[in-house]
Amino acid sequence: MTELTASAADRVPDAPGAVWRFAREGRIRPGSEGHKQLFCRMLLDTFDPYKPAIIPWPTLAPDALARLTALPFWDIAVETELHTSKNMQAIADTTRDPLIREAIALNAFEERRHKVVLENMIRFYGIAIEPDESFTPPPDAEWSYLCTGYGECFDSFFSFGLFRLAKDSGYFPAELIEVFEPVIQEEARHILFFVNWAVWAQAQHNVLLRPAFAGRRFAALATRAWKRMKFAKGGVGPKAGEGSKEGKNNSAMTIEGRNFVAGGEPLTIKSFMKLCLAENDRRMARYDARLVRPLAMPRLVKAAMPFLGLVG
Ligand SMILES: [Fe+2]
Ligand SMILES: [Fe+2]
């Protein structure tokens, strides 16, 4: 198995067997102090210090530029990064454990950096957007983080497939794809960190209180799943997402986005989901096998796979 430094592994998208592995050997019990060290070190040690200000944005041919500016979700993408960063900073600010706080604060920093990358790209290519930058601090930082984390689990799963499609179809030049590779891999790190944090945080509760925390996790996951199902349903119909900005843009990201970046080739939902599953596995394979994996989306999709052929 190839051993690379974590940063180098993140910069080699298709390096087979490239992994980040925790220095400590042996079994690590989920919820233990060792587990906390494992998932925090994963996030902290794989930090990629790229600077958005010096990203060399490639000059695009007129057709590629037109395709980029026509994508309908840049404003919601900027809003999402803003809200995600603020929600993560909120839980970091209320976390007593110094290592967990450091890791979540890094996560919040990376979300702010995603927003800057998007804004720089939007400015460079002259894309017109109207993001709503208002934000109300969450009254319950833990609940907000649970919702944000599970939301990222769903969105990242689809992003992995869309990104691969865009890469393979040549919809955008390779230089532009290369710019966003670290951003997509950071989302893989974020959801990996989040699911491990959730397991660890539950174990920190008194045995009598663990069911209540488990209930919160399930409720957060269910509300995010319900929202995404509504988006997907809105995207299939002829009036996709009509009536709400959120519905319009998320259906575009999940359903229309699939067709946008497939380069004109018809792609079934089933094929797209298979691609998302494969990309999810490939991106997660870069990290220590003892980390808990984000399983909600892969399990949901695998369970739905026999029925996906019915919806095209
Ligand atoms: Fe992000
Ligand atoms: Fe993220």
Side-chain angles (χ1 to χ4, degrees), residues 5 18 82 93 101 110 115 131 168 170 172 181 204 220 223 226 237 240 247 279 292:
T5 65
L82 172 75
D93 290 343
R101 185 170 62 240
E110 291 181 358
K115 180 172 178 280
D168 291 349
F172 294 120
E181 171 55 35
Q204 306 318 301
T223 58
W226 176 246
E279 282 299 289
V292 175

Side-chain angles (χ1 to χ4, degrees), residues 40-117:
C40 287
R41 289 264 54 99
M42 180 278 298
L43 197 76
L44 294 166
D45 293 354
T46 59
F47 173 67
D48 185 338
Y50 69 85
K51 296 197 178 347
I54 57 171
I55 287 175
W57 295 103
T59 302
L60 299 181
D63 57 339
L65 182 61
R67 287 196 291 270
L68 185 74
T69 56
L71 289 174
F73 43 69
W74 295 123
D75 49 359
I76 196 78
V78 170
E79 288 171 25
T80 301
E81 299 294 359
L82 172 75
H83 291 164
T84 303
S85 67
K86 295 213 174 227
N87 285 331
M88 288 188 174
Q89 193 60 54
I91 182 100
D93 290 343
T94 59
T95 298
R96 282 202 298 273
D97 186 287
L99 186 59
I100 298 276
R101 185 170 62 240
E102 182 186 0
I104 300 181
L106 177 70
N107 198 329
F109 166 81
E110 291 181 358
E111 304 296 359
R112 286 195 294 277
R113 191 168 59 171
H114 291 173
K115 180 172 178 280
V116 175
V117 170

Side-chain angles (χ1 to χ4, degrees), residues 104-251:
I104 300 181
L106 177 70
N107 198 329
F109 166 81
E110 291 181 358
E111 304 296 359
R112 286 195 294 277
R113 191 168 59 171
H114 291 173
K115 180 172 178 280
V116 175
V117 170
L118 284 172
E119 288 172 335
N120 288 358
M121 183 203 74
I122 283 162
R123 199 176 307 118
F124 185 85
Y125 294 116
I127 300 169
I129 61 164
E130 294 177 33
D132 177 1
E133 303 234 0
S134 61
F135 177 77
T136 306
D140 181 343
E142 182 185 83
W143 171 250
S144 170
Y145 184 47
L146 284 169
C147 291
T148 300
Y150 284 119
E152 281 215 307
C153 288
F154 286 111
D155 295 339
S156 297
F157 181 82
F158 292 123
S159 300
F160 298 158
L162 284 174
F163 192 74
R164 186 72 197 202
L165 265 184
K167 188 175 184 179
D168 291 349
S169 68
Y171 191 78
F172 294 120
E175 301 94 313
L176 189 58
I177 295 288
E178 195 60 33
V179 167
F180 280 97
E181 171 55 35
V183 173
I184 301 296
Q185 194 58 32
E186 274 171 355
E187 296 300 0
R189 288 164 57 249
H190 294 171
I191 63 175
L192 190 55
F193 175 85
F194 168 73
V195 295
N196 280 272
W197 169 86
V199 168
W200 176 83
Q202 186 165 317
Q204 306 318 301
H205 285 80
N206 179 293
V207 173
L208 294 174
L209 295 176
R210 283 180 199 168
F213 187 79
R216 289 198 112 196
R217 286 173 61 191
F218 180 77
L221 190 151
T223 58
R224 297 305 107 176
W226 176 246
K227 276 196 164 190
R228 268 67 184 173
M229 277 167 58
K230 283 203 300 187
F231 302 153
K233 193 178 167 199
V236 172
K239 295 180 180 179
E242 191 174 76
S244 91
K245 185 178 181 183
E246 186 178 48
K248 169 177 171 272
N249 286 292
N250 280 283
S251 63

